Amino acid sequence: MKKATIFFGLCTIVLLSCTKTDLNTPTKGAAIAPGATLVTAAQKSLVDAMTNSSVFNNVFRLMAQYWAQTTYPTESQYRLQERKVPDTFWDPMYRDVLKDLEEAKRLIPGEINPDRVQVSNQLLIIDMLQVYTYSILVSTFGDIPYTQALKNSNMLPSYDKQDVVFADLLKRLDADISGLDAKGAGFDNNNDIIYNGSVSAWIKFGNSLKLRLGLQLADVDQTKAKTIIESAAADKGGLILAATDNARLKYMVAPPNNNPVWADVVQGGRTDWVPANTIVDVMNNLQDPRRKAFFTLKDAGYLGGIYGSANTYGTYSHFNPATTAADFEALLFDNSETEFLLAEAKERGFNVPGTAITHYNNGVKASLVYWGCTDAEYNSYISQANVAYDKAPGDYKKKIGTQQYLAFYNRGVEGWLAWRRYDYPVFNVPVDLTYNDIPKRYIYPIAEQNLNASNYAAASASIGGDKLTTRLFWDKF
């Protein structure tokens, strides 16, 4: 990464000579950053973007109706353009994540490293991180800049069709998984802040991501989804099935490496949010033991603010301080998600190991254990008529969808994605809106509309209109 330092001064003319200085030559700092440090920066930027809770950067906890707002319910009434919310998610994902990874991909092959297996592993891990990042963007917006996105020579890239992007991401993911050598080295512990240099962990991550993407396609292409899912489940590299395999970033107490939620809520002293009645009511009806880990008590119970309305902060439960601690970790993928995906795969008739009820139970237990619940609490919870897989009302989408939604608490991006896929639980409707007004996607950034107008117009027409209510290609129902 180049940093130019410009020095202003006078060149003194002396009788014998004058030294000529190139004012654009950097004299301090590294002219080129090592590729591995760019990967570290990209990982941190990625997790921050997914975890942030500022209304100026990330409102996915509001989109998922995990949180409600107090004084200013702008975003929970879906007025995203007022603070340019789409821009502040789009920009760091492209600029701070994808572009840094692309530069690392360019630099690493030219660096001195006699271990060619390590170099290969590093490039494949970088590509896998790009695949993950693009999968979030395409699942959020629809058509996105892809083939032209990271080219410095083209600042106004065209948009690729969402289904084409999806297909290429799966192709890249297959190459990444098959190419990684678990016997070889990856990045050093200090550079890989998600998996501490474990190549085998990245293979499990890749297979689990493949499982997620395959099931996103299941309603529009059952045959293709079946091939993808069965391949992921059968891969010898395995899946994320234990908490030790979770993709996580362990934040630190001291800024700037703290959890951004702490900065938004605690350091900033903000009282802008309370737990939403959507999730609190579901959990109250199920007597969910995770409530104590998620929320604080209010009058000997748990009370969520009215979603989509301005709420009085002191009237409702608040967030458990543990979830807003500076060093509270953030997850990109965990074992409960994998188990719920496998349960769905079984219900769809795909050939994966185990049974739907076993995977469902495993998913519920993994989430409860993660949030500090005891075995006794799990046994009591899973035996309830409204929770037990063979007794709970509704089809598998309602059962799995509801429990996956609860397990995704504190992961707003994934919680909103799960709701769009399963259509459960039933969300609340802000005043003066209808259920059909609940967003199915983000609108495109305002900057794209103004600066990349022709390509924006083509993408908008391609997806069926740049509206919050436009369904993406995989969201058939």
Side-chain angles (χ1 to χ4, degrees):
M1 187 182 294
K2 296 185 177 181
K3 294 183 179 179
T5 304
I6 302 177
F7 297 90
F8 295 95
L10 297 174
C11 179
T12 304
I13 302 176
V14 295
L15 293 174
L16 297 177
S17 66
C18 177
T19 301
K20 188 174 181 180
T21 302
D22 183 353
L23 299 182
N24 291 316
T25 300
T27 60
K28 296 182 180 179
I32 299 176
T37 64
L38 291 174
V39 174
T40 309
Q43 289 184 349
K44 173 69 161 48
S45 296
L46 171 61
V47 180
D48 281 354
M50 296 288 287
T51 305
N52 200 295
S53 60
S54 168
V55 291
F56 295 100
N57 299 295
N58 178 331
V59 297
F60 290 104
R61 289 179 180 83
L62 296 172
M63 294 295 100
Q65 300 198 9
Y66 292 137
W67 289 13
Q69 291 173 287
T70 55
T71 309
Y72 309 106
T74 304
E75 287 72 32
S76 53
Q77 294 174 355
Y78 310 135
R79 304 199 305 272
L80 303 188
Q81 69 277 12
E82 292 188 17
R83 282 192 260 251
K84 296 184 178 180
V85 171
D87 300 60
T88 55
F89 186 68
W90 173 289
D91 289 348
M93 293 290 266
Y94 274 107
R95 180 193 63 227
D96 302 331
V97 182
L98 289 168
K99 188 60 179 175
D100 273 7
L101 291 171
E102 191 71 7
E103 181 67 3
K105 194 183 287 186
R106 184 185 72 84
L107 290 173
I108 286 174
E111 295 173 350
I112 298 174
N113 186 349
D115 188 343
R116 304 322 296 170
V117 172
Q118 182 178 32
V119 171
S120 174
N121 279 341
Q122 289 177 349
L123 294 175
L124 292 167
I125 289 169
I126 290 171
D127 195 69
M128 191 177 287
L129 282 163
Q130 288 186 318
V131 168
Y132 173 87
T133 305
Y134 274 124
S135 77
I136 296 298
L137 287 167
V138 76
S139 299
T140 301
F141 293 97
D143 289 10
I144 56 171
Y146 182 65
T147 54
Q148 297 181 6
L150 306 178
K151 300 181 184 300
N152 291 336
S153 58
N154 184 4
M155 303 307 292
L156 300 175
S158 63
Y159 288 52
D160 294 78
K161 291 186 178 297
Q162 54 185 318
D163 57 332
V164 175
V165 174
F166 224 87
D168 194 63
L169 293 178
L170 284 161
K171 182 180 177 180
R172 287 170 64 174
L173 193 54
D174 272 341
D176 296 337
I177 294 167
S178 62
L180 284 169
D181 184 349
K183 296 179 181 178
F187 289 99
D188 292 339
N189 288 357
N190 292 333
N191 294 126
D192 181 2
I193 55 177
I194 294 175
Y195 275 131
N196 299 318
S198 172
V199 176
S200 61
W202 281 110
I203 295 173
K204 292 178 181 179
F205 175 84
N207 281 322
S208 301
L209 177 59
K210 185 176 174 179
L211 195 66
R212 178 199 286 179
L213 298 181
L215 281 164
Q216 270 185 254
L217 293 177
D219 285 337
V220 292
D221 193 336
Q222 178 93 347
T223 301
K224 185 175 182 179
K226 183 176 188 294
T227 300
I228 294 166
I229 291 157
E230 291 179 356
S231 171
D235 189 85
K236 62 182 180 180
L239 297 161
I240 296 173
L241 292 172
T244 52
D245 298 325
N246 291 349
R248 71 184 83 200
L249 192 153
K250 297 181 179 180
Y251 283 106
M252 300 178 183
V253 173
N257 296 314
N258 55 273
N259 191 309
V261 178
W262 172 83
D264 297 334
V265 177
V266 180
Q267 185 184 46
R270 307 297 301 183
T271 57
D272 295 349
W273 308 277
V274 293
N277 60 341
T278 310
I279 185 172
V280 174
D281 290 350
V282 170
M283 298 184 81
N284 281 340
N285 290 336
L286 299 176
Q287 292 296 298
D288 197 302
R290 288 169 289 190
R291 288 175 297 173
K292 64 181 183 294
F294 293 177
F295 321 120
T296 62
L297 287 168
K298 178 62 180 177
D299 299 329
Y302 299 97
L303 184 64
I306 300 171
Y307 184 80
S309 298
N311 296 282
T312 302
Y313 182 76
T315 303
Y316 301 98
S317 294
H318 299 149
F319 310 126
N320 185 317
T323 66
T324 60
D327 60 348
F328 191 70
E329 72 176 23
L331 294 170
L332 290 183
F333 214 112
D334 74 343
N335 56 327
S336 70
E337 179 177 0
T338 307
E339 294 285 7
F340 287 127
L341 293 173
L342 289 170
E344 179 187 353
K346 289 299 293 187
E347 286 286 7
R348 289 181 178 273
F350 301 151
N351 183 22
V352 299
T355 64
I357 188 171
T358 297
H359 289 303
Y360 172 87
N361 290 348
N362 289 344
V364 173
K365 187 170 186 177
S367 178
L368 265 65
V369 169
Y370 180 83
W371 289 103
C373 298
T374 65
D375 286 346
E377 287 175 319
Y378 163 73
N379 291 332
S380 175
Y381 184 65
I382 203 66
S383 64
Q384 290 186 49
N386 285 334
V387 178
Y389 198 70
D390 56 350
K391 299 176 183 177
D395 60 10
Y396 77 86
K397 285 193 172 185
K398 181 176 182 179
K399 297 172 187 178
I400 297 172
T402 298
Q403 285 300 325
Q404 188 168 87
Y405 171 81
L406 297 177
F408 279 146
Y409 178 73
N410 203 45
R411 295 171 61 190
V413 177
E414 295 91 333
W416 183 46
L417 174 62
W419 176 79
R420 288 182 289 156
R421 285 217 311 111
Y422 295 106
D423 299 307
Y424 287 101
V426 176
F427 273 6
N428 287 312
V429 181
V431 64
D432 296 329
L433 297 177
T434 70
Y435 205 82
N436 288 333
D437 292 320
I438 298 175
K440 310 299 188 299
R441 61 179 289 274
Y442 258 19
I443 57 173
Y444 287 122
I446 307 303
E448 285 293 298
Q449 300 178 36
N450 293 332
L451 302 177
N452 196 12
S454 61
N455 289 320
Y456 158 77
S460 178
S462 171
I463 66 172
D466 183 22
K467 299 175 289 187
L468 291 169
T469 53
T470 299
R471 290 182 181 272
L472 301 185
F473 84 101
W474 48 264
D475 187 11
K476 186 176 180 180
F477 302 112

